[in-house]
Amino acid sequence: KIRETAVHHEDETGWRKNGRSHWLWAFISKEAALFKISRSRGHKVPKKILGKKYRGTIVNDRFSAYNKLEEETLCTLQKCWFHILRESKKLAKVHNEGKYIHRKLKSIFAEAKEYEKKQQFEKVPELIAKIEKIASRKYRHSEARKFINSLAVRHKYNLFRFVGNKH
């Protein structure tokens, strides 16, 4: 059933089994939930579940295994805004630059949600431009630079797939 979904969420978390470290992988859609315990946290776990020809969209955090999965399958990624805003909120607690980033990202996400309601996919380039504008600023703290560059360079095309998506 997960292989047939147009959109599903994936995440992994640590799991102890007989005193040894494993990973609990979760694959969640509106219709189904699948859990897999594995010694590996690598991209091969979801690739084996989904197959090489999976064409759906996977909502996920910015963990690198999903980037590799995208390269080796036909899937697309949607970065999870809950994870993004949670991370930017943590930045806001330790750096003034983080406060700016968090405030801007919250605003952009709210705007994207409005476009989603109206299925205005043509607005996505404007949203990406706003992400790029945040990234164009000079940040003193490497943590802030690393976070925003990850969004604006590596993941910018995977931030707004939900806008205009009927799923």
Side-chain angles (χ1 to χ4, degrees), residues 145-156:
R145 278 193 310 272
K146 183 178 177 183
F147 173 73
I148 199 62
N149 285 336
S150 170
L151 292 179
V153 177
R154 176 71 176 139
H155 301 298
K156 68 181 172 185

Side-chain angles (χ1 to χ4, degrees), residues 21 26 41 51-52 60-61 65 74-75 105:
S21 294
R41 192 180 182 203
K52 293 178 190 176
N60 60 84
D61 59 15
L74 302 173
C75 77
L105 290 176

Side-chain angles (χ1 to χ4, degrees), residues 85-101:
L85 294 175
R86 183 178 63 193
E87 290 174 45
S88 68
K89 187 174 184 178
K90 285 180 187 177
L91 269 180
K93 289 181 179 180
V94 294
H95 304 297
N96 281 335
E97 296 171 328
K99 290 176 186 172
Y100 168 80
I101 291 169

Side-chain angles (χ1 to χ4, degrees), residues 63-125:
F63 180 51
S64 62
Y66 298 108
N67 303 334
K68 190 74 172 161
L69 182 65
E70 182 183 36
E71 291 170 9
E72 293 188 9
T73 69
L74 302 173
C75 77
T76 56
L77 302 179
Q78 165 62 60
K79 295 304 166 187
C80 174
W81 275 90
F82 179 81
H83 282 92
I84 291 167
L85 294 175
R86 183 178 63 193
E87 290 174 45
S88 68
K89 187 174 184 178
K90 285 180 187 177
L91 269 180
K93 289 181 179 180
V94 294
H95 304 297
N96 281 335
E97 296 171 328
K99 290 176 186 172
Y100 168 80
I101 291 169
H102 183 62
R103 186 176 67 252
K104 289 295 189 179
L105 290 176
K106 279 184 10 180
S107 173
I108 291 168
F109 180 63
E111 193 174 343
K113 291 299 285 180
E114 287 301 313
Y115 294 151
E116 177 191 29
K117 287 178 192 172
K118 299 172 187 171
Q119 295 187 359
Q120 293 179 301
F121 190 72
E122 70 277 5
K123 298 289 190 174
V124 169

Side-chain angles (χ1 to χ4, degrees), residues 2 6 18 26 49 74 105 112-113 116 127 133 143 153 159:
I2 291 294
N18 298 326
I49 297 284
L74 302 173
L105 290 176
K113 291 299 285 180
E116 177 191 29
L127 297 169
K133 185 176 180 184
E143 194 177 2
V153 177
L159 295 174

Side-chain angles (χ1 to χ4, degrees), residues 27-41:
F27 303 79
I28 311 289
S29 74
K30 288 181 181 178
E31 300 86 22
L34 173 69
F35 300 94
K36 168 79 174 155
I37 297 172
S38 176
R39 293 272 301 150
S40 173
R41 192 180 182 203

